[in-house]
Amino acid sequence: MISVVNAFVVNQEEAPHPGVILNHMSGVPEQGSQKTFYLETFGCQMNVHDSEKVVGTLIQEGYRQVETVEQADLILYNTCSIRDKAEQKVFHRLADYKKLQAKGKKFGVLGCVAQQEGDKIFERAPHVSLVCGSASYTKLPEMLVQLAGKSEQGIADGALGTRDSGRAAQDLVRITGLDDRQTDKCFETEFTSRLNPHRGYITIIEGCDKFCAYCVVPFTRGKERSRTSQSVLNEARQMADLGYTEIQLLGQNVNSYRDPDGKKSFAELLAAVGEVPGIRRVRFTTSHPRDFGKDIVEAIDAVPTLCDHVHLPVQSGSTRMLDAMQRLYTREQYLERITWMKSARRKISITTDVIVGFPGETESDFEQTLSLLDDVGYDSVFSFKYSARPNTPALSLEDAMPEAEKSRRLEVLMANQRQIQTTNYRKYIGTHLEVMVEAFNDSRNQWIGRTSHNKTLNFTATAAPRVGSYVNVKVTASFPNSLLGEMVV
């Protein structure tokens, strides 16, 4: 049985305000002596959902979440290492709040940077007491007990002093959970603190076995391991019973899902979740082209609750570069999957990821990427400059391209894609779309909605709709990244 607490989260990577702040915890007993914690999350949707489960685990262990580091006994950072910038943010944050160690506060680093750096974190940030990789979250309860026990022992041993380094004279508390790629366990908890009362995540597969040349995920998330289809469906039904109407299935390579019980393929599980009574929308991310089968498109066509949007990262339009990246498919094989989607009865919105400046990328390779964008006509592209990451095969390649040239190529690609999106979005003017109401924008006096295509549609309304409800909106204008409209009563 999975208990759910509604909560509010701010994601550092996607919003201007730092921290994961869960302001209200229904069902959490108020205790004057209760241990408190603060959690800030960096990175992807997988990390956000991991944080939801970490919060639930902490609450189970008797902790209460607070809104600021100053209020917390335990300060945690759930980290991302996919790019160096996200990694450095964590260490900057740790340095900013090091002074709070003197007040008896404990610090912990969770997630991908924890797994990647391991004990080295203690050398770089000696005031950290807990380092736990994402593959070790199942051990988090016992690690918290151990942390609390050592902290109490430190207090009992005497008052704080200082060493030459300025650190406390008492022995530093250092607890690690760093499972390697051999773990077969998924992080399933009996208590999940969900950030949104209408839309929720379900992780169905963790880890990665693809070993793309540029990517740290196989080294930080462990090997691929899937939950049983029955456990996923049980969670989906419980969410529906609690009033959730949209579910997003998550995985580093979500369509690489393999049911341990052998009962359902990914496409069959996707359809089954879409058929759960009360669920109106089902999304999934992120898919790997190698494992993207025609049966997924057939499921989207057959089950109306499955959103008509697929995020299918291509990374490069050059087969030569795809081979260097160890992506396990060619340009032609990728385009075959695009053809399947464009041949569907429903119009499927397609989005992707692209890396520019990978070692060895020529101007011809880059031009092939631009031509692929033109051929596919993506509704959105997440584009990045190549950045070398620890442990990855690409480290052995010579990265001779100057940063200025990487930046130029990124700007050219983004400008090209902006024109494509402007054309694509303009086609929606005059149409009627159903949106889930997400929030109200006071500064613009507009409601924010999201379509099944995963497009943002801002709209006006004569009568205020309820957040979480579904309304029809007539599109009146378009922009490169959003639509504008009026609610139809």
Side-chain angles (χ1 to χ4, degrees):
M1 181 68 178
I2 298 174
S3 301
V4 180
V5 170
N6 294 334
F8 299 94
V9 174
V10 178
N11 186 322
Q12 170 67 21
E13 289 297 300
E14 299 177 356
H17 306 293
V20 173
I21 302 171
L22 308 186
N23 295 317
H24 173 64
M25 287 293 181
S26 60
V28 180
E30 290 293 334
Q31 300 175 14
S33 60
Q34 194 173 17
K35 296 167 290 187
T36 58
F37 74 96
Y38 172 89
L39 173 62
E40 181 173 350
T41 297
F42 301 81
C44 66
Q45 292 157 314
M46 288 285 288
N47 270 18
V48 172
H49 187 42
D50 280 348
S51 286
E52 292 179 334
K53 293 186 284 187
V54 166
V55 169
T57 300
L58 283 156
I59 291 171
Q60 280 187 302
E61 295 301 315
Y63 286 79
R64 177 172 58 86
Q65 189 167 26
V66 293
E67 297 183 13
T68 67
V69 293
E70 289 78 13
Q71 295 172 308
D73 301 314
L74 176 62
I75 300 164
L76 298 171
Y77 298 103
N78 188 3
T79 61
C80 172
S81 63
I82 198 71
R83 287 181 293 280
D84 183 64
K85 182 179 179 181
E87 181 180 331
Q88 294 311 314
K89 282 183 181 179
V90 178
F91 288 105
H92 290 322
R93 197 76 83 239
L94 285 168
D96 289 343
Y97 293 114
K98 180 181 178 180
K99 59 183 180 293
L100 295 177
Q101 183 193 20
K103 297 182 179 180
K105 298 182 187 297
K106 299 297 180 184
F107 293 81
V109 178
L110 313 176
C112 293
V113 172
Q115 185 67 38
Q116 174 184 291
E117 298 298 316
D119 290 340
K120 294 179 183 177
I121 291 175
F122 296 131
E123 299 172 11
R124 190 166 174 180
H127 53 298
V128 170
S129 298
L130 176 71
V131 173
C132 180
S134 56
S136 300
Y137 284 150
T138 55
K139 297 180 180 179
L140 194 55
E142 60 191 78
M143 294 174 69
L144 290 169
V145 171
Q146 190 179 4
L147 178 63
K150 287 195 174 186
S151 298
E152 291 170 4
Q153 182 63 44
I155 294 171
D157 286 343
L160 295 178
T162 58
R163 293 178 179 170
D164 292 342
S165 63
R167 291 182 300 178
Q170 69 184 91
D171 289 338
L172 293 170
V173 177
R174 291 182 169 177
I175 300 169
T176 59
L178 300 168
D179 273 349
D180 59 17
R181 282 185 48 81
Q182 300 313 307
T183 183
D184 291 312
K185 295 181 180 179
C186 290
F187 182 28
E188 297 185 56
T189 68
E190 297 178 356
F191 196 98
T192 300
S193 173
R194 297 195 183 275
L195 61 92
N196 186 309
H198 313 292
R199 174 191 299 120
Y201 299 124
I202 299 179
T203 298
I204 67 170
I205 178 173
E206 298 180 29
C208 179
D209 291 342
K210 296 297 188 288
F211 289 95
C212 297
Y214 53 82
C215 187
V216 297
V217 169
F219 305 97
T220 59
R221 287 277 182 173
K223 69 179 182 180
E224 287 180 358
R225 52 209 187 273
S226 301
R227 296 172 58 182
T228 65
S229 57
Q230 191 59 56
S231 73
V232 173
L233 288 170
N234 286 345
E235 185 169 357
R237 294 184 186 108
Q238 290 167 9
M239 290 175 66
D241 289 344
L242 288 163
Y244 288 83
T245 60
E246 181 176 312
I247 288 175
Q248 184 162 356
L249 303 183
L250 297 180
Q252 267 74 36
N253 295 313
V254 69
N255 61 323
S256 300
Y257 174 82
R258 297 292 181 271
D259 187 351
D261 291 341
K263 293 181 179 179
K264 293 186 183 297
S265 67
F266 171 68
E268 290 169 338
L269 176 61
L270 192 61
V273 173
E275 291 166 353
V276 170
I279 298 302
R280 295 186 58 162
R281 286 183 177 177
V282 179
R283 303 185 188 276
F284 60 96
T285 195
T286 294
S287 296
H288 193 287
R290 177 64 178 265
D291 295 329
F292 192 87
K294 192 179 292 187
D295 59 343
I296 298 173
V297 179
E298 292 169 349
I300 293 173
D301 260 346
V303 184
T305 52
L306 301 188
C307 287
D308 35 9
H309 166 240
V310 172
H311 186 71
L312 194 65
V314 65
Q315 307 303 0
S316 174
S318 162
T319 293
R320 192 180 76 86
M321 295 313 300
L322 291 172
D323 182 61
M325 291 177 172
Q326 300 176 192
R327 287 292 287 171
L328 307 176
Y329 55 85
T330 64
R331 175 188 175 110
E332 290 71 29
Q333 289 170 329
Y334 182 89
L335 287 174
E336 179 183 31
R337 285 140 180 80
I338 298 298
T339 299
W340 294 342
M341 287 186 274
K342 292 195 172 185
S343 300
R345 291 191 301 275
R346 300 172 67 187
K347 177 178 171 55
I348 297 176
S349 172
I350 308 170
T351 57
T352 198
D353 296 341
V354 172
I355 295 173
V356 300
F358 187 79
E361 183 186 68
T362 65
E363 187 65 30
S364 174
D365 294 321
F366 177 60
E367 290 294 335
Q368 290 178 58
T369 297
L370 294 179
S371 72
L372 184 90
L373 266 58
D374 291 335
D375 291 345
V376 176
Y378 294 106
D379 279 343
S380 180
V381 173
F382 297 90
S383 51
F384 311 94
K385 292 185 292 184
Y386 168 72
S387 173
R389 305 306 298 130
N391 304 315
T392 58
L395 282 177
S396 63
L397 303 175
E398 183 180 358
D399 185 13
M401 186 179 296
E403 281 298 311
E405 176 59 16
K406 291 180 184 178
S407 297
R408 183 195 71 82
R409 292 186 183 186
L410 183 62
E411 289 174 4
V412 169
L413 185 144
M414 292 170 63
N416 187 72
Q417 178 58 28
R418 185 178 179 86
Q419 291 300 317
I420 293 171
Q421 287 180 212
T422 297
T423 300
N424 287 356
Y425 278 56
R426 191 178 293 131
K427 295 175 183 177
Y428 287 93
I429 296 176
T431 64
H432 290 71
L433 300 175
E434 182 184 70
V435 302
M436 174 194 264
V437 182
E438 295 187 333
F440 182 72
N441 186 323
D442 290 304
S443 63
R444 295 183 178 180
N445 198 33
Q446 294 173 348
W447 292 89
I448 303 170
R450 188 164 301 276
T451 71
S452 63
H453 276 167
N454 205 35
K455 291 179 174 62
T456 298
L457 202 174
N458 301 306
F459 63 96
T460 57
T462 54
R466 177 177 55 84
V467 171
S469 65
Y470 294 80
V471 300
N472 288 315
V473 176
K474 180 180 179 181
V475 180
T476 58
S478 67
F479 306 95
N481 295 300
S482 66
L483 300 169
L484 183 65
E486 302 169 347
M487 190 174 84
V488 178
V489 180

